[in-house]
Amino acid sequence: MTEPFLTLDRLTKRFLTGGGLMKKPHSMTAVRDVTLSIGKGEMVGVVGESGCGKSTLARLVLRLIEPTSGRVRLDGTDLTTLSAPALRAARRRMAMVFQDPYSSLDPRYSIADVLKEPFVVQRQAMPAGTVGAMLEAVGLPAATAQHYPHQLSGGQRQRIGIARALALRPDLVVLDEPTASLDVSIQAQIIDLISSLRERFGLTYLFISHDLALVRYVCDRIVVMYLGAVCEVLADPRAAPRHPYTAALLASSFSPDPAARREIAPLSGEIPSPFNLPPGCAFAGRCPHASDRCRSENPTLSTDAGGHAVACFHPL
Ligand code: SF4
């Protein structure tokens, strides 16, 4: 990894739900003590099942939600302490591509207006030729500017979502399941586009996905999350997993080729309630290797000389 560009330091987010006159509120920790550094130009994947906290992590990175504790630093600037105007300025350097290209584009706006939107939000004049340049960058003809979202296919809409994210020329892009709602044949094209844009614009990517096979195929490093915490970091994305949860995720996936993938099958066993986590390792109830120690002590991340980190008492 090069010099850290994005640094997460013990990032934690707790949500309170319920409460009222007669009820006690419940606390749920969606992200727990996540520490991570990403180098400039790196593409780091964050994977896990639905509800593991990866999307909450993405929103914390961009400070779309406030952390309960911990820090996010971008190129040395602590985003968690910035005032509203300073945060708006810092956001020019960050962008997000959303999962669902259908709901992330306002149907009343033409594509030209969609691509102007980031400049309006930033109260910044849009340089001449930006719309055409961004359409060219994502492989769409200039005439697309006059169209409306309903006139485009799912893949074309996601290309517009990517063009909008890149309009202000950010340094960091958070990709939140950018291909999950697309047909398999289109997914491969969008992944190729994302990879080529990284080279062209020198982007740093945080790639959020439920799909370990896909992330192994495109990312430089992989962070695996389970119930809000990091359980493994693969410095080499194609290295054999050492955490039983990562191994089960990989065994459930089908192929490293996104054009030939199937949906990841759910792991067996019940995920514990995040409102009432059992003592010890959160994966113990589903783990074929669980021991008495696993059910009473919480494993912490231990990193080897090659940067491969695993939180497990009996790694594979
Ligand atoms: S600590 Fe124990 S229960 Fe948890 S993953 Fe490792 S072997 Fe399984």
Side-chain angles (χ1 to χ4, degrees):
M1 193 187 74
T2 55
E3 281 294 295
F5 181 64
L6 175 71
T7 308
L8 315 183
D9 182 13
R10 302 203 66 183
L11 201 57
T12 295
K13 179 65 182 179
R14 264 193 298 281
F15 291 107
L16 282 179
T17 60
L21 280 179
M22 306 298 288
K23 290 182 188 160
K24 262 178 70 179
H26 295 283
S27 157
M28 188 269 271
T29 305
V31 170
R32 185 190 318 271
D33 263 347
V34 172
T35 294
L36 175 68
S37 287
I38 300 181
K40 185 131 179 65
E42 228 191 339
M43 183 167 185
V44 172
V46 177
V47 292
E49 293 166 289
S50 174
C52 73
K54 56 191 188 300
S55 289
T56 303
L57 186 74
R59 281 154 180 77
L60 287 170
V61 166
L62 299 177
R63 214 179 130 189
L64 299 176
I65 54 174
E66 297 294 328
T68 305
S69 60
R71 295 268 174 264
V72 178
R73 288 187 183 81
L74 182 75
D75 207 9
T77 302
D78 185 347
L79 300 180
T80 45
T81 56
L82 291 182
S83 63
L87 181 62
R88 189 169 63 237
R91 284 218 177 103
R92 287 180 201 138
R93 304 189 66 187
M94 306 182 284
M96 186 158 180
V97 174
F98 296 93
Q99 174 177 345
D100 184 358
Y102 295 88
S103 62
S104 67
L105 303 180
D106 191 324
R108 298 167 303 170
Y109 287 4
S110 71
I111 299 308
D113 288 336
V114 167
L115 297 180
K116 276 179 206 154
E117 204 184 338
F119 295 91
V120 174
V121 170
Q122 285 290 339
R123 299 170 199 168
Q124 199 177 311
M126 186 174 75
T130 297
V131 170
M134 295 323 297
L135 289 172
E136 180 275 322
V138 297
L140 292 173
T144 313
Q146 313 312 322
H147 293 165
Y148 284 79
H150 74 271
Q151 296 173 296
L152 305 181
S153 69
Q156 288 171 328
R157 284 181 214 181
Q158 193 54 300
R159 285 174 191 267
I160 296 299
I162 293 167
R164 178 178 57 183
L166 300 189
L168 291 168
R169 300 294 169 95
D171 298 306
L172 171 73
V173 179
V174 177
L175 304 156
D176 188 5
E177 302 264 16
T179 60
S181 61
L182 301 174
D183 290 346
V184 170
S185 59
I186 306 298
Q187 288 179 13
Q189 295 171 16
I190 296 296
I191 289 297
D192 286 346
L193 175 66
I194 286 169
S195 298
S196 67
L197 291 172
R198 174 192 178 190
E199 298 293 324
R200 181 168 171 182
F201 294 112
L203 299 168
T204 302
Y205 283 140
L206 187 65
F207 191 115
I208 307 291
S209 178
H210 68 282
D211 189 334
L212 180 55
L214 171 64
V215 165
R216 273 164 69 95
Y217 178 76
V218 292
C219 290
D220 301 318
R221 262 189 314 146
I222 300 176
V223 175
V224 185
M225 290 184 72
Y226 187 71
L227 278 171
V230 174
C231 65
E232 184 160 19
V233 179
L234 291 127
D236 172 359
R238 291 178 183 85
R242 303 202 64 212
H243 195 284
Y245 173 65
T246 314
L249 270 185
L250 188 59
S252 304
S253 58
F254 176 64
S255 164
D257 178 0
R261 279 179 305 103
R262 287 181 191 155
E263 277 288 292
I264 289 179
L267 288 156
S268 59
E270 272 192 30
I271 303 177
S273 165
F275 290 99
N276 187 22
L277 284 181
C281 174
F283 190 57
R286 307 169 78 190
C287 180
H289 311 285
S291 64
D292 288 346
R293 185 184 183 197
C294 303
R295 295 186 189 90
S296 58
E297 276 182 58
N298 204 358
T300 53
L301 276 176
S302 157
T303 309
D304 70 15
H308 190 153
V310 61
C312 178
F313 294 125
H314 313 292
L316 305 173

